[in-house]
Amino acid sequence: MPLLAGCGGSRGVGDIFGESGSGPKLATPAPSAPAAPPSEASQGPLSTVPAAPSLIPPAVRADGAKVRVAILLPLSGPEARIGQVLLNAAQLALFDVADADFQLRPYDTGADPMEAGAVAQQALADGAEIILGPLFAAATTAVAPYAHQAGVPVLSFSNDEAVADQGVFVLGFLPRDQVARVVRYATAQGISRYAALAPDTPYGRSVTRALQETTQEAGVTTVRATLYNPGTGDFTQIARQFADYDQRKRALASDKARLAGREDEASKRALARLERMETVEDLPYQAVLLPDTGQRLRSLAPMLAYFDVDHRKVRMLGTTLWDDASIAGEPTLGGGWYAAPTADMRATFENRYQQAFGARPPLVAGLAYDATALLALLARDRPQPDFSLATLTAPEGFAGVNGIFRLRPDGLNERGLAVYEIRDGQRRVIDPAPQSFQPLIN
């Protein structure tokens, strides 16, 4: 495997904790970027993370020895494109932050999640002090036993809470944080009755559970939670049933029949108003959480509108999946709210990534940049870096291209997210992301 070794040249970042202040700190992009993707023997590094107390402590590194870090990614198979994006972002962070005594060794997990276990064994045999990745939950599960046995922590890019453990961190954007952020904002605006219409997938089920838990904690109500087959190509019946359309249509017909033939002016005005309506009776929910994206969401939202779930009366809510220009362009999602990382720092990172690699990176690329920069900073300019669990899980957290974040001892993460509104085809921040974890974001 090719080694990527730190050059120690273009750092341009501050101390991770600094010598003063208690707010989150981490790497910010350096002023310049490589003109072309770093070569196999160019800049980059990584470092270690502490073994949890229950793990076998790793050997102490000799002074002057290289820091050996493995990054496990799908560099072949159907997910090779996203694997390469993550590797590119890691290299960019190493160019910005790393000292020359860092070495990063990429390992290909391929298409089979179980292959990640064998790859992890090889990485550990090669002397890896920390494992960055894998990308998916199944691969992380396969890696974890070997990492635990060796006392080597894992920083996975997965967003599946089920794989988090002491010494195994998930860095992905957790559904529960996104739901909690947007629901708490909506509740503060007076919304008290929520519904979810989600794909019947692990992600959709996770988001639905998060809605139910969040509303219960906030003292409001989830009145309906409906899952649909993600393979469906026709949302007609799904939307019709979710909208209580037939029931509300019958109620309209009944009201019109009751007013028909009456000669008083009030009845005539009421009947004329009903003639312009599709249905009557209020829906039981004031907001609908739609945790989907792409063509499915662009098909589902108009179908809800067709069956008289009016986005001007019922607030549409989303997750980070909505952070997509094609979603903002869907008129029936106008006025919708969703939670996502702040775009300010990410825009700088994305521009530099495009300059270096010739394409705009997806949101997940920032995870690889932030994780790599964090590890490099924790190991930089010190004879023996402090990779203790206490340092990694410092309550003040860190600040990266996706905003502030912190790691928890149970392996989960917390992030400071902004609330966005879709309006006139554009996305705009209506509640900014916090700049620190004081007070705590839960």
Side-chain angles (χ1 to χ4, degrees), residues 85-111:
V85 164
L86 290 166
L87 183 58
N88 291 346
Q91 293 181 54
L92 194 59
L94 302 181
F95 179 88
D96 290 344
V97 182
D99 279 338
D101 61 350
F102 269 67
Q103 286 185 344
L104 172 64
R105 184 184 292 268
Y107 292 82
D108 182 14
T109 58

Side-chain angles (χ1 to χ4, degrees), residues 39-52:
S39 66
E40 287 188 351
S42 69
Q43 29 266 10
L46 266 77
S47 84
T48 50
V49 177

Side-chain angles (χ1 to χ4, degrees), residues 125-138:
D126 291 341
E129 300 173 68
I130 185 171
I131 293 174
L132 188 58
L135 175 58
F136 298 113

Side-chain angles (χ1 to χ4, degrees), residues 113-127:
M114 295 303 101
E115 181 67 19
V119 168
Q121 292 181 74
Q122 183 61 57
L124 295 168
D126 291 341

Side-chain angles (χ1 to χ4, degrees), residues 158-178:
S158 171
N159 67 351
D160 189 339
E161 298 183 16
V163 303
D165 196 3
Q166 194 173 45
V168 178
F169 296 94
V170 291
L171 302 181
F173 303 104
L174 300 180
R176 76 157 83 177
D177 287 350
Q178 300 163 46

Side-chain angles (χ1 to χ4, degrees), residues 257-430:
R258 178 172 50 82
L259 293 172
R262 294 187 181 182
E263 296 300 325
D264 60 284
E265 289 302 317
S267 296
K268 288 181 179 180
R269 287 195 298 271
L271 182 59
R273 179 176 60 85
L274 293 177
E275 293 291 354
R276 297 190 297 269
M277 298 174 64
E278 286 289 325
T279 62
V280 294
E281 294 189 354
D282 290 335
L283 286 159
Y285 43 82
Q286 299 165 289
V288 179
L289 181 61
L290 300 173
D292 213 334
T293 190
Q295 186 55 51
R296 281 205 308 255
L297 182 58
R298 293 194 298 272
S299 298
L300 177 58
M303 194 58 68
L304 287 172
Y306 180 80
F307 287 111
D308 210 27
V309 181
D310 190 340
H311 68 280
R312 293 165 296 185
K313 300 177 182 178
V314 176
R315 185 75 61 176
M316 301 297 166
L317 305 179
T319 64
T320 300
L321 294 178
W322 282 27
D323 203 35
D324 181 330
S326 68
I327 300 302
E330 171 49 54
T332 55
L333 293 174
W337 297 335
Y338 69 93
T342 185
D344 297 342
M345 285 294 295
R346 192 171 77 249
T348 302
F349 161 71
E350 289 174 346
N351 289 337
R352 294 183 61 252
Y353 183 102
Q354 184 168 26
Q355 179 185 354
F357 300 105
R360 301 289 288 184
L363 183 62
V364 71
L367 300 180
Y369 184 97
D370 284 351
T372 306
L374 167 60
L375 298 177
L377 281 168
L378 286 176
R380 201 177 71 189
D381 299 332
R382 307 176 191 188
Q384 289 292 333
D386 177 12
F387 295 130
S388 66
L389 187 60
T391 297
L392 269 183
T393 59
E396 61 266 36
F398 316 106
V401 299
N402 286 312
I404 63 171
F405 68 100
R406 62 181 173 187
L407 306 178
R408 296 180 5 180
D410 61 3
L412 299 177
N413 73 76
E414 297 176 1
R415 294 183 177 275
L417 302 174
V419 177
Y420 289 79
E421 181 178 66
I422 293 175
R423 181 70 63 185
D424 299 325
Q426 302 295 317
R427 297 162 289 174
R428 66 182 184 93
V429 174
I430 54 173

